Amino acid sequence: MELLRKLEILADAAKYDASCASSGTDKRDSRKGGLGSTEGMGICHAYAPDGRCISLLKILLTNACVFDCAYCINRATSNTPRARFTVEEVVGLTLDFYRRNCIEGLFLSSGIIRDPDYTMEQLLRVVRSLRLDHGFHGYIHLKTIPDADPGLITEAGLYADRLSINIELPQAASLAALAPEKNFADIHTAMGSLRGQIADAKEARRTEGRAKAPRFAPAGQSTQMIIGADASDDATVLGASVGLYQGYGMRRVYYSAYSPIPDASAVLPPRAPPLVREHRLYQADWLLRFYGFGLQEIVAGGEAGMLDLAIDPKLAWALKHRETFPVDVNSAPREVLLRVPGLGTKTVGRILATRRHRGLRADDLARMGVRLTQALPFLVAVDHLPRQLDGLHLRARLTPAPVQASLF
Amino acid sequence: MGYFVTLPAPADAEAWRNAARDAWRAGIAPDDLVFQVAGDTGDLIATASNPAPRNDAPSPLVPRDFLALAEVAIRHRDPERFALLYQTLCRIAAGERGLLDDAADPAISRLRDMAKAVRRDAHKMHAFVRFREIEGPRHVAWFEPDHFIEEAEAGFFIRRFAQLRWSITTPRVSLHWDGESLSIGPAGRRDELPPADAGEALWRAYFRAIFNPARLKPAAMRSEMPQKYWKNLPEAQDIPRLMAEAPGRVRAMVAAGAASPNPNTQRRRQIMPASVTSTDGLAELRARLLAEPMPEWASRSTQPVMGDGPLGAALMLVGEQPGDEEDLAGRAFVGPAGRLLNAALEEAEVPRDALFVTNAVKHFKFTMQGKRRLHQTPDAGDITHYRPFLREEVRLVAPRLVLSLGASALRALTGRAMPVTKSRDLQLQTEDGVPLRATVHPSYLLRLPDEVTRRTERQRFVADLARAYAEARGANLS
C-alpha cells in the first residue's frame, strides 16, 4: 500500500482522540544538535473545520486491533480498511512534517496486535528511533497500553513527554458492556503506576539536580472519556473526573462527544454527537479546577444530574443562588469574584490590581475584558447597582438565542 | 514648539528608549514631541531635531515591567505607539507609580492590547510559517505578519531549526540562517516561493483525514486560524471542499446505519496472558480477586491491596481497608494509621516484619471531598464481599492468633457485628476456629480530640499489641 493511503487510513483512525496538548514539558532546543525545540507553551499549527487544533501528528501505528470496543471504528469486528506503518515510515513522516513547521511533534497510538507487550514494544521502537537516532527534541505523546510490562512503560517515560491511558467511559459497568476486553480496575491500576513514576521522577529532579535524575514523562499523564455512548449522567462523568484529577494527578481529562462513525456497531448506531454537552462538561471541569467550585455545587446548577445545556454552568449556579449576589467589585475577595458570571481568572486578577488604586466603574470593567451583559446583573460598581436580580426574566435575558439546528 | 525624533527602524526598542530618555531629561512635554521612522513618509521633517538633554538632569526611574511592556508594544504597527509610550513614561516618571497596575486606564489598556496583539502575531508566526525544501538543502518560507515582529522572532526558529539552513521572507524583510549565524536581508515577493513538493501532498492528506465531518465547527476554526492566513497555508486550500462535503458525508453515515460485524474479525480468543503466573498462594488469591466481579466503587481504586508479611507468622493483624496512600502504594498500613501502628509496635517491642498485616476489605473506598479522596467506611455488604478472600488469607498464613483492629475487621472475622470495647478482653475465635483477639483501629487514636484520652488510649493499644504478640508466641492460649 502506498504511504499516502496508509496515512489517510491511520490518521482517520486516530481522529477520535481529542487530546492535542503540546505544552508543559521541559525546555529543549537544537542549538547543540538534533532537531526541534519545546519552550513550555504549546503551539497549534493548524485548525481543522471541526474546530480542533492540529498540534501533533496524531496517528495510529496500526488500526488492526484484537479488542472489540463498540464505540471504536477500529474494533475487531469493524469492516474498516486496515493498514500498518513501518517504524521508519512514522519516523520519516514525523521528521518531514516537523521540518516544514507543520507540527510540534508526534502523538502515537496503536490498535492492540498480538499482545500488549508486543504492541508497546512496536510503539517504543518509533520513539526510541526519533530520540536516539535522529536527536528529535520535539514533543512526543505516547498512548500507553495498560497491561504492558512495567519495564516497557519505564522506557516509554524516558522518551515521551506525556503518557496517556484512556478511561474511555465513566463507569465500570459501561466499560464492561461496550469494551469487553478492557477492565476499568486495570486501567486505574496502570494510571496509579504512572502517577507514582511521574511523581518520583519529578521529586528526583528537584532533589538530585536535573542531570542525574531519570526522565519520566515530564508533561505528566492525561486521559479521555467518551460522552454520550453510555447512559451516564453529567454528575457521574464529573465525579469520575474529580477522582481522576485528584487520585492520579491528571494534567487533563478530555471529553469526547461520541461521534457517528462509518461502519458503526449495532450497539451504538450513528447519531449526532452531543457537542453542547461536551462543551458544558469542559466548562464545568474548568470551574472545578480553577474557580473553587465543588462537584455538588456544579451539578446542582442543572437538573437531575445533568448540566443545563442552554446556559453555562457558572451562570446556572449563580441564577440558583441569587441570594449571594450582588457582590461589590470594589471589595469582594478573589474567591467571591471568581463566582461571578462573566469574570474569568485573568479579569479577576486585573480587578484586584486596579482597585488598589481607585474605585472601579462599569466602563472600567469593559476595558478589562469583562463580559458586561453577563456580569452587571450580579455586580455592584461605583456607578452601578443591579436592579433585575429578583426578576423572573433574568434567566431568559442571559440565555443566548438558540442556534439554528445543525446537520440533522 | 515641536520637536522631532527619527528612529532608525520601526521596532528599535533601544533607539526609542535612548530618544525618550533624552527628551525627558530635556523636559519636553509629550504633546511637543513627534516620533518618526527613517524612510517613512519621505523624511519631511528631517531638518528638525530635539535639543540636547541637560547633563545635570537625572534619568527617569520606571519599573522593570514598563520596559518589558514597551519592548513588546513597540513592535505594533500603530504609528502612535511611540507617542503613547512616551506619554506613559512621563506619567510614571511624574509620580504615577501604580499606573501599570491600572488595567482600566485608557492608555495602559491600549498599550496592553498592543502588546497582546504583537504576542498573538508572534505566536501565529511560530505556528503558521510553512517551509518548503529547495536544493542545498535549504528550507524557505513566505510569511505575512501584521506587526514588526520578524527580527524578534528569529530566535524561535534558530532554537528550533539550528541544524538546518533556512530563510523566512516577508513583505518587509528577510531572515537567513546558515547554520551558524543570522543575517537580515531585503523584503521579498510571494511569487518567488518554490512550488509544492510531494511531502506537502502528504501533509494535506493528513489534514483532510484528521478532520471529523460530524463535528463541523468552522467558527472555532476561524477564530484561531483567521482567513487572512489561509493563502499561505497549503492545507487550508482544502478547507472549502471539506466543509462543503461534510454534511453529505454525515448523512451517508447515518443512512448506512449500523454495520454487520466483519466475518473476518481481527479478534482472537484468549489473547490476554494471565497477569499472574506465580505459584505463591497469596498471588493466586490476588489474581482471583481481580478476576471476580467487584463493586463499582472498587473499580475506581488503583489496585487491590493484599496483606504483607511472612506466611506462617504467629500473629496476624487485620485492619479495615486500605487508605489513600495504601491504594497508591499497593501495600497495607503505609499511611498515617500505618505510621501510628509502626510506632505503637515499636513501643510494644513487636517487630512488624514478624507479623502478617492485612485488611478486611481489599480496595480503597472513598468519597471525593474538595481536593481529597476521603476514606468511606465499608458497609456490611462490602465486608461480606471480601470475607471469602480474608478467610482464605488467614488459612494461607495459618497464624496462631489473629488480632482484629477496629469494628469492621472484627465483623469480617466473626461474621457478627460486635462492639470492640466489650470484646477487647475476651478470648474469641474466628468463624473458622482460629484464636482471635480484638482491639481498636489505630485511626481511632488519630481521631481522639483531647490529649489526655489520646495518651491513655494509646497506652491501652500498645498493651493490647504486646499481649497479643506474647500470646501468639507463647502457649497462653485457651
Side-chain angles (χ1 to χ4, degrees):
Chain A
M1 193 187 288
E2 71 169 313
L3 184 60
L4 188 121
R5 180 69 190 130
K6 279 194 197 180
L7 179 62
E8 283 172 349
I9 293 174
L10 293 167
D12 186 84
K15 72 180 164 205
Y16 301 98
D17 207 307
S19 168
C20 70
S22 56
S23 56
T25 193
D26 44 12
K27 289 191 179 184
R28 313 183 286 264
D29 67 53
S30 59
R31 281 174 294 183
K32 288 193 176 132
L35 172 71
S37 60
T38 51
E39 306 199 339
M41 205 191 334
I43 298 174
C44 299
H45 283 273
Y47 287 80
D50 52 20
R52 282 183 166 167
C53 98
I54 300 175
S55 180
L56 305 172
L57 169 62
K58 191 191 298 181
I59 44 174
L60 300 192
L61 188 57
T62 174
N63 66 337
C65 191
V66 295
F67 283 13
D68 204 38
C69 310
Y71 49 79
C72 181
I73 185 168
N74 308 310
R75 68 188 182 283
T77 53
S78 152
N79 297 285
T80 196
R82 310 281 174 172
R84 179 176 176 174
F85 280 128
T86 64
V87 169
E88 293 72 27
E89 283 168 339
V90 179
V91 170
L93 280 172
T94 308
L95 296 174
D96 183 68
F97 288 178
Y98 196 90
R99 285 192 202 103
R100 290 173 189 280
N101 200 41
C102 293
I103 53 170
E104 284 298 287
L106 174 67
F107 177 3
L108 186 62
S109 180
S110 178
I112 308 286
I113 42 172
R114 218 176 289 179
D115 60 53
D117 282 355
Y118 177 78
T119 309
M120 194 71 216
E121 174 59 31
Q122 298 306 305
L123 295 177
L124 267 177
R125 284 178 56 200
V126 173
V127 293
R128 206 185 282 139
S129 171
L130 277 171
R131 291 285 195 233
L132 303 184
D133 302 340
H134 300 277
F136 180 65
H137 301 299
Y139 192 95
I140 295 179
H141 179 161
L142 202 58
K143 193 56 74 179
T144 312
I145 315 289
D147 310 282
D149 183 82
L152 297 173
I153 307 287
T154 302
E155 197 183 348
L158 192 62
Y159 305 128
D161 293 291
R162 169 166 290 180
L163 296 174
S164 67
I165 303 167
N166 284 355
I167 185 86
E168 309 290 15
L169 294 161
Q171 299 187 69
S174 314
L175 192 71
L178 297 181
E181 284 89 355
K182 294 201 175 188
N183 181 303
F184 206 62
D186 287 352
I187 290 172
H188 283 80
T189 307
M191 288 172 171
S193 144
L194 287 186
R195 174 197 153 138
Q197 296 189 69
I198 291 165
D200 288 351
K202 213 176 192 179
E203 177 65 24
R205 284 188 160 209
R206 216 157 46 87
T207 52
E208 293 167 28
R210 299 174 68 85
K212 268 192 278 175
R215 186 177 186 275
F216 192 91
Q221 63 171 326
S222 64
T223 191
Q224 169 170 299
M225 239 186 283
I226 302 163
I227 304 308
D230 69 341
S232 302
D233 60 12
D234 291 340
T236 309
V237 170
L238 291 171
S241 288
V242 171
L244 289 164
Y245 280 120
Q246 306 305 346
Y248 305 105
M250 289 291 161
R251 298 290 272 269
R252 281 292 294 276
V253 174
Y254 290 93
Y255 307 96
S256 179
Y258 175 69
S259 167
I261 49 174
D263 205 57
S265 152
V267 187
L268 292 170
R271 60 193 150 181
L275 292 181
V276 181
R277 188 179 170 202
E278 178 191 281
H279 182 56
R280 296 286 177 241
L281 285 167
Y282 274 117
Q283 291 177 318
D285 182 288
W286 245 254
L287 293 178
L288 288 167
R289 287 192 294 148
F290 306 118
Y291 287 78
F293 279 90
L295 178 60
Q296 302 313 322
E297 290 179 304
I298 299 277
V299 172
E303 297 294 338
M306 294 301 279
L307 299 174
D308 195 326
L309 290 183
I311 52 177
D312 74 80
K314 195 204 253 185
L315 180 58
W317 175 84
L319 287 172
K320 287 197 174 180
H321 293 83
R322 297 182 197 201
E323 71 283 359
T324 60
F325 295 103
V327 301
D328 189 337
V329 74
N330 285 302
S331 61
R334 182 171 185 276
E335 59 272 19
V336 172
L337 289 177
L338 283 174
R339 288 174 172 251
V340 177
L343 300 190
T345 47
K346 271 191 195 154
T347 41
V348 167
R350 287 185 200 132
I351 288 171
L352 294 179
T354 307
R355 78 182 188 190
R356 276 183 303 175
H357 304 285
R358 58 193 181 78
L360 295 174
R361 304 174 160 271
D363 57 346
D364 289 330
L365 296 177
R367 273 195 296 273
M368 291 175 175
V370 173
R371 282 179 296 150
L372 290 186
T373 348
Q374 285 238 325
L376 283 185
F378 300 96
L379 279 181
V380 173
V382 169
D383 60 343
H384 170 77
L385 249 180
R387 276 170 301 163
Q388 291 163 305
L389 205 48
D390 298 323
L392 291 169
H393 302 303
L394 184 56
R395 184 191 156 93
R397 214 164 57 76
L398 294 178
T399 305
V403 183
Q404 197 148 34
S406 56
L407 297 182
F408 306 102
Chain B
M1 170 71 204
Y3 296 95
F4 298 93
V5 171
T6 303
L7 298 170
D12 192 333
E14 190 58 35
W16 174 82
R17 193 178 161 183
N18 290 335
R21 191 199 294 119
D22 289 349
W24 188 83
R25 290 171 78 190
I28 299 176
D31 286 346
D32 295 334
L33 184 62
V34 174
F35 288 91
Q36 60 173 4
V37 177
D40 280 4
T41 58
D43 278 8
L44 284 177
I45 38 194
T47 50
S49 65
N50 55 321
R54 303 205 325 267
N55 283 333
D56 55 336
S59 287
L61 272 178
V62 293
R64 192 184 293 267
D65 286 353
F66 175 72
L67 294 178
L69 177 67
E71 204 165 288
V72 178
I74 209 164
R75 293 173 206 151
H76 200 280
R77 64 155 176 244
D78 187 335
E80 287 179 40
R81 63 194 180 281
F82 305 116
L84 195 59
L85 282 166
Y86 183 63
Q87 179 197 18
T88 308
L89 169 76
C90 291
R91 284 175 67 191
I92 295 175
E96 289 188 56
R97 309 299 300 174
L99 184 59
L100 278 185
D101 287 338
D102 189 343
D105 180 89
I108 296 298
S109 105
R110 215 173 133 202
L111 280 176
R112 286 200 194 280
D113 285 349
M114 282 185 189
K116 192 176 166 190
V118 167
R119 282 200 198 92
R120 183 177 159 93
D121 199 32
H123 190 70
K124 294 304 178 194
M125 182 177 178
H126 301 169
F128 297 151
V129 157
R130 291 287 181 271
F131 287 108
R132 284 175 178 164
E133 195 178 321
I134 57 170
E135 270 184 53
R138 177 167 201 91
H139 287 75
V140 296
W142 167 257
F143 188 71
E144 297 172 33
D146 287 338
H147 303 288
F148 304 111
I149 59 168
E150 293 94 325
E151 296 86 346
E153 299 314 318
F156 171 85
F157 293 96
I158 293 171
R159 292 188 293 279
R160 177 154 290 200
F161 301 116
Q163 309 301 318
L164 303 178
R165 282 181 293 167
W166 51 261
S167 300
I168 300 173
T169 307
T170 77
R172 183 175 68 86
V173 73
S174 56
L175 309 169
H176 307 278
W177 175 255
D178 64 2
E180 281 174 7
S181 63
L182 181 76
S183 52
I184 313 261
R189 291 204 330 263
R190 184 167 181 261
D191 57 17
E192 291 164 354
L193 197 68
D197 54 20
E200 199 166 288
L202 282 170
W203 168 243
R204 287 176 60 169
Y206 173 72
F207 182 80
R208 290 190 300 266
I210 203 73
F211 162 58
N212 182 350
R215 307 175 50 105
L216 200 57
K217 279 174 141 183
M221 167 184 65
R222 283 203 184 90
S223 83
E224 295 298 336
M225 193 169 79
Q227 208 151 348
K228 67 181 178 202
Y229 292 110
W230 291 12
K231 66 177 198 281
N232 292 321
L233 289 168
E235 65 271 25
Q237 311 319 307
D238 295 312
I239 290 175
R241 187 162 64 85
L242 289 174
M243 280 171 48
E245 289 173 358
R249 286 170 71 186
V250 179
R251 271 197 302 276
M253 261 188 259
V254 175
S260 47
N262 184 351
N264 301 317
T265 170
Q266 303 265 321
R267 194 175 202 168
R268 260 178 284 156
R269 304 291 156 200
Q270 296 293 321
I271 41 90
M272 303 296 290
S275 56
V276 175
T277 49
S278 161
T279 53
D280 185 333
L282 286 171
E284 262 175 41
L285 188 61
R286 185 175 193 275
R288 246 175 56 202
L289 184 70
L290 279 168
E292 289 215 3
M294 60 180 88
E296 169 73 25
W297 61 262
S299 58
R300 290 181 193 286
S301 67
T302 304
Q303 53 195 316
V305 178
M306 305 302 283
D308 229 4
L311 293 182
L315 179 61
M316 177 167 180
L317 304 191
V318 180
E320 185 185 72
Q321 65 156 351
D324 182 71
E325 290 184 41
E326 284 83 3
D327 173 68
L328 291 168
R331 295 190 58 201
F333 282 101
V334 294
R339 288 189 281 278
L340 201 149
L341 176 66
N342 287 346
L345 284 171
E346 202 166 307
E347 212 171 306
E349 296 183 3
V350 178
R352 173 158 169 172
D353 53 13
L355 311 180
F356 191 92
V357 182
T358 191
N359 283 303
V361 168
K362 306 302 185 193
H363 285 102
F364 176 34
K365 188 175 189 180
F366 60 90
T367 50
M368 292 304 312
Q369 188 146 50
K371 295 201 174 295
R372 293 169 59 209
R373 302 194 296 174
L374 224 59
H375 164 273
Q376 194 183 359
T377 307
D379 59 29
D382 301 329
I383 292 172
T384 310
H385 175 80
Y386 290 97
R387 258 178 74 205
F389 299 99
L390 179 62
R391 285 171 74 173
E392 184 62 15
E393 218 174 3
V394 176
R395 196 186 65 77
L396 286 165
V397 177
R400 298 181 68 186
L401 177 70
V402 179
L403 178 63
S404 69
L405 310 176
S408 297
L410 189 56
R411 180 179 194 135
L413 288 159
T414 59
R416 289 179 291 143
M418 295 166 66
V420 173
T421 39
K422 289 186 186 158
S423 318
R424 212 163 180 174
D425 291 317
L426 303 180
Q427 292 189 337
L428 307 163
Q429 285 196 337
T430 71
E431 233 182 338
D432 298 315
V434 181
L436 170 69
R437 275 200 178 273
T439 185
V440 296
H441 194 278
S443 65
Y444 162 73
L445 304 175
L446 288 171
R447 287 194 302 267
L448 286 173
D450 85 287
E451 179 67 27
V452 181
T453 331
R454 196 157 58 227
R455 204 176 308 139
T456 346
E457 281 301 311
R458 187 190 155 106
Q459 274 163 9
R460 280 190 73 192
F461 180 61
V462 169
D464 284 349
L465 290 173
R467 177 177 65 185
Y469 188 57
E471 286 181 0
R473 294 215 300 169
N476 190 17
L477 293 169
S478 57

